[in-house]
Amino acid sequence: MTISKQELQINEEIRDKEILVIDADGKKLGVLSSKEAQQIAFDQELDLVKIAPQATPPVCRIMDYGKYCFEQQKREKEARKNQKVVSIKEIRMFSTIDTHDFETKVNQAVKFLQGGDKLKVSVRFRKRAIAHPQLGEELLERFKEAVSSVGTVEKPAKMEGRSIVMFVSPKAAK
């Protein structure tokens, strides 16, 4: 039962003449008037909740509405806790990067990929370096080989303005 709270009508809000009633144990009590069903729920110190308003006749259930709402919130919280949020981290380099700086960027990328994040690797071209885009492509090729043990290229290198961009995603764990 994943029904939002706005759709649910409880107790006196139910104004239908006849409703199909299900008791707290899940047994059908049959088609009753809403007054009779409310009286049965009141006698059991529970609530009458309309769970299927589109049915003919509408289906109502006798339950503890407060407990139902609490359990619903608990399920939603558990579902949010189990979600894995994948973020995109960016590694920026210049076409004239030095060897040690390149290795540092590769180590950082490996750490991100092992953490389950996706990577956006971009090589920027300063001033006249844009005349030699092959340097950036070679740099990204070296980068791809360096992280090949933990990541795979999702989108190959592509020129975007004054930079070349490549996306890398982590390899699936075995």
Side-chain angles (χ1 to χ4, degrees):
M1 271 188 279
T2 57
I3 303 170
S4 67
K5 292 177 183 106
Q6 294 86 6
E7 294 177 18
L8 294 178
Q9 294 178 343
I10 58 170
N11 298 331
E12 290 80 26
E13 294 173 5
I14 301 169
R15 302 210 184 278
D16 299 300
K17 289 182 182 175
E18 291 186 332
I19 53 176
L20 177 62
V21 181
I22 301 172
D23 71 356
D25 300 326
K27 296 180 200 151
K28 284 186 183 177
L29 298 181
V31 179
L32 303 172
S33 71
S34 58
K35 294 274 186 205
E36 288 177 77
Q38 285 176 11
Q39 187 59 46
I40 294 170
F42 182 74
D43 292 343
Q44 295 178 8
E45 296 182 4
L46 295 171
D47 300 305
L48 183 66
V49 182
K50 188 189 283 189
I51 57 173
Q54 70 281 357
T56 311
V59 180
C60 295
R61 184 173 188 146
I62 296 172
M63 66 170 84
D64 184 349
Y65 186 68
K67 184 177 177 183
Y68 169 76
C69 289
F70 173 74
E71 288 173 355
Q72 195 75 3
Q73 286 175 342
K74 211 163 111 177
R75 277 195 291 272
E76 289 170 5
K77 185 178 177 184
E78 192 68 29
R80 279 195 304 272
K81 191 169 78 172
N82 292 334
Q83 284 181 339
K84 173 70 174 118
V85 178
V86 177
S87 61
I88 297 178
K89 303 283 187 174
E90 185 172 7
I91 302 276
R92 291 186 191 155
M93 299 182 281
F94 290 99
S95 59
T96 57
I97 193 167
D98 197 30
T99 310
H100 182 263
D101 295 336
F102 177 76
E103 290 168 3
T104 304
K105 297 283 186 182
V106 167
N107 290 339
Q108 192 67 41
V110 168
K111 195 186 307 180
F112 288 149
L113 290 169
Q114 287 174 340
D117 297 318
K118 290 185 178 183
L119 277 182
K120 176 183 179 182
V121 185
S122 59
V123 177
R124 297 244 337 146
F125 294 102
R126 290 185 187 140
K127 302 178 184 172
R128 292 187 47 91
I130 193 79
H132 303 285
Q134 71 276 7
L135 293 176
E137 291 170 2
E138 291 169 7
L139 184 64
L140 284 177
E141 194 61 38
R142 273 187 22 220
F143 189 88
K144 181 169 71 171
E145 290 170 12
V147 297
S148 64
S149 62
V150 290
T152 56
V153 175
E154 190 175 283
K155 291 183 185 174
K158 180 183 173 190
M159 193 75 175
E160 290 182 3
R162 294 190 69 85
S163 60
I164 297 180
V165 180
M166 175 175 73
F167 286 89
V168 181
S169 59
K171 280 190 175 177
K174 292 179 182 177

